[in-house]
Amino acid sequence: MSDDNGTQEIPAGSAPGPRPEPIRFFGTTWVDHDNGYPARRIGAAIGSLAAVVGSCLVLRFAFQGLQIADIGSFVTLLMVVMFAICSALAFRHTWEGFTKRADPDRQASLRGLLAIGFVGSLLAYFFRSLFEAPGEKLHREEYDTARKQFEKRTTRRTGNPSKKRRRS
């Protein structure tokens, strides 16, 4: 929650400090693996696999349309190769995006490739959701680092340093 100035309010009963960043479909359940986290992971895996199957059926209809149009085997082969390469590149890019933050400029330049290779992105999401919430490792590292820095900043010194005895 934030006020008119955009500053964060701390809800009653919660500890001050850094807040975990929510992950799509998982919210902040990835922190403690509570509130239906396993069911959400299963749902994400099944949903992404169903999306892969559905998109492959759509691609099959598209290729059948190319065959009906009788444009030739060379163009059909070119389309198959294009989708295979774009899907492989999209898989790799999506998989790497789960472990490190993507550069926004690079992301914008790859938008077309990722759109063509959407099957690869969906497969990466499926395989990652078998092990963890997609992006959980990255978010956990950032959250743990932020918590350690917060604790380091808020630890109190004992005593007054000006009254400390000097060794002679």
Side-chain angles (χ1 to χ4, degrees):
M1 292 190 251
S2 64
D3 61 8
D4 294 334
N5 298 329
T7 57
Q8 291 284 335
E9 294 178 11
I10 299 173
S14 68
R19 301 205 190 290
E21 186 178 343
I23 298 175
R24 182 182 294 167
F25 304 125
F26 294 90
T28 57
T29 62
W30 60 268
V31 177
D32 296 322
H33 293 187
D34 58 352
N35 295 333
Y37 172 81
R40 290 175 190 225
R41 268 199 32 222
I42 291 169
I46 291 171
S48 59
L49 187 60
V52 167
V53 170
S55 59
C56 285
L57 286 173
V58 169
L59 285 176
R60 177 156 168 74
F61 293 141
F63 287 123
Q64 284 178 345
L66 290 175
Q67 288 175 343
I68 291 170
D70 196 27
I71 57 172
S73 60
F74 177 71
V75 175
T76 304
L77 178 66
L78 201 60
M79 294 294 290
V80 170
V81 169
M82 178 198 61
F83 272 106
I85 291 172
C86 289
S87 291
L89 291 173
F91 179 91
R92 187 173 137 250
H93 179 74
T94 305
W95 191 264
E96 288 175 353
F98 294 140
T99 56
K100 64 181 178 181
R101 291 280 177 187
D103 178 30
D105 294 332
R106 184 170 185 258
Q107 187 79 13
S109 67
L110 292 176
R111 187 172 294 136
L113 180 125
L114 294 174
I116 294 170
F118 62 96
V119 175
S121 293
L122 290 169
L123 279 173
Y125 199 87
F126 166 72
F127 286 123
R128 192 55 148 198
S129 62
L130 293 177
F131 303 109
E132 65 179 8
E136 179 180 345
K137 182 179 179 182
L138 172 68
H139 285 79
R140 188 168 302 281
E141 288 172 358
E142 291 175 350
Y143 179 60
D144 289 343
T145 302
R147 277 189 23 227
K148 286 177 186 173
Q149 289 175 350
F150 178 77
E151 289 170 6
K152 190 176 183 181
R153 283 191 313 265
T154 58
T155 54
R156 308 269 184 217
R157 292 188 302 206
T158 57
N160 187 346
S162 64
K163 294 183 179 179
K164 187 175 180 181
R165 288 189 184 173
R166 304 231 166 133
R167 294 182 182 166
S168 0

